[in-house]
Amino acid sequence: QVHLVESGGGSVQAGGSLKLSCKASAYTFGSGVMVWFRQAPGKEREGVAGIDSDRHTAYADSVKGRFTISKDRAKTTLYLQMNSLKPDDTAMYYCAAAPYSDYLVDENLWTEPQQFGFWGQGTQVTVSS
């Protein structure tokens, strides 16, 4: 069973930075895709950044150049470094895992929530203007 726990959310002013972490248990970082999603009130859940087993990454256009996804295999932890934050980045952020679907980044399917069977509980990010 994959267990995901996010941390690192908080409240910052526009232009600030936060680094989110997602600790995974019982998950083999050698395969599969992990993604950060976010969901703002009244909006659909959207893929923010994804990374596969070869560390190929993908980003939503809205965060390119500002956010960086990475992972530490030894710590089985996924990260999202968020810089130059904007009020529009305010949302609940979730990490999700698809351990047996390493093709999702290459085939540009990583933004589809239905592709992921394992989710964390979320961490809130609030950016004030």
Side-chain angles (χ1 to χ4, degrees):
Q1 183 69 26
V2 177
H3 186 54
L4 305 171
V5 180
E6 302 96 334
S7 62
S11 296
V12 296
Q13 291 190 328
S17 298
L18 283 173
K19 186 174 185 178
L20 305 183
S21 299
C22 174
K23 174 67 176 176
S25 64
Y27 175 62
T28 304
F29 266 62
S31 63
V33 169
M34 295 191 77
V35 171
W36 286 100
F37 285 86
R38 67 185 180 187
Q39 188 166 19
K43 294 187 178 181
E44 293 185 353
R45 191 166 295 191
E46 64 170 340
V48 174
I51 187 167
D52 68 14
S53 63
D54 291 327
R55 301 182 188 273
H56 297 143
T57 58
Y59 297 91
D61 288 343
S62 58
V63 306
K64 281 181 181 177
R66 300 189 298 122
F67 290 11
T68 302
I69 189 171
S70 62
K71 60 183 181 180
D72 185 322
R73 188 169 297 184
K75 296 181 179 179
T76 63
T77 300
L78 179 75
Y79 301 101
L80 185 68
Q81 177 67 48
M82 305 185 296
N83 298 327
S84 303
L85 283 162
K86 305 175 181 179
D88 284 349
D89 295 319
T90 295
M92 185 71 80
Y93 283 71
Y94 301 89
C95 68
Y100 310 110
S101 304
D102 207 23
Y103 56 87
L104 295 179
V105 169
D106 285 346
E107 297 192 9
N108 203 30
L109 298 173
W110 64 275
T111 60
E112 299 180 358
Q114 65 269 26
Q115 300 286 350
F116 296 84
F118 302 100
W119 293 83
Q121 82 290 348
T123 186
Q124 178 68 38
V125 172
T126 302
V127 184
S128 58
S129 58

